[in-house]
Amino acid sequence: MMTDLGLITAREIPLIGRFIDLLKDEQEALRHANPEPLAKISAAKVALVEQLNELEQARRAALGIGSEEKTRSAMEAWLLANPTQPQVASDWQTLLALAGEAKQLHELNASLVALHLQQTSDALHILDSRRAENALYGSNGQAAAPSGSRLVDSA
């Protein structure tokens, strides 16, 4: 007979597996600087996180712990007290491994996003610098196009 915790962890494994697949898809889009699929991926990730959070709350309820207590330590204590539940223990170890993989992928994706943001910021800075360099004004105070003569334009 499978316990409530067994049912919960069995449901979490495929969800976190799908979450990892989405993180990999996101990473592929980021590596190729293809923003088109990112909105769809983000929406799917949010939906999965909501489901995973619901299962986390169900696990907390099954363990009888509050929101301030650590799930990992409570789960480990439960597993020690219930050695006849090897499938739950196995599923828990699988979940921990998958969560670690998801965390690594998420951190790498965050680094890729930061890199793209820095490149965009650098490009905007270059464009703003060029615009400032080319901003010449005539005697009437209006912007004037460069004349082509460095001596006159720099005066």
Side-chain angles (χ1 to χ4, degrees):
M1 177 181 122
M2 191 174 270
T3 66
D4 286 348
L5 287 170
L7 293 172
I8 292 166
T9 55
R11 288 179 54 205
E12 285 177 298
I13 290 171
L15 290 178
I16 200 162
R18 278 188 265 162
F19 189 76
I20 287 170
D21 290 341
L22 288 170
L23 287 169
K24 289 176 181 177
D25 292 345
E26 179 181 63
Q27 187 177 107
E28 192 67 21
L30 290 169
R31 284 181 189 241
H32 291 96
N34 178 14
E36 206 163 304
L38 292 177
K40 185 177 177 181
I41 290 169
S42 180
K45 282 176 27 184
V46 167
L48 280 173
V49 166
E50 288 173 1
Q51 291 176 51
L52 288 165
N53 285 341
E54 288 174 12
L55 290 171
E56 169 76 11
Q57 292 307 316
R59 185 180 328 106
R60 289 179 162 287
L63 288 168
I65 61 172
S67 61
E68 69 285 349
E69 295 179 66
K70 300 284 185 192
T71 305
R72 180 179 257 181
S73 57
M75 190 69 182
E76 289 170 2
W78 185 90
L79 290 170
L80 284 173
N82 294 277
T84 60
Q85 299 292 325
Q87 186 60 51
V88 177
S90 175
D91 286 351
W92 179 246
Q93 291 307 311
T94 300
L95 277 173
L96 292 176
L98 290 171
E101 182 181 354
K103 181 180 179 183
Q104 287 178 334
L105 287 167
H106 176 71
E107 288 172 355
L108 179 57
N109 290 359
S111 296
L112 290 170
V113 168
L115 178 65
H116 284 295
L117 287 173
Q118 184 60 49
Q119 289 173 340
T120 301
S121 177
D122 291 348
L124 288 173
H125 178 72
I126 289 168
L127 291 174
D128 283 344
S129 296
R130 286 186 181 160
R131 187 176 337 150
E133 289 172 5
N134 292 331
L136 299 176
Y137 298 91
S139 59
N140 63 358
Q142 298 297 315
S147 68
S149 169
R150 286 188 173 183
L151 182 60
V152 171
D153 288 343
S154 64

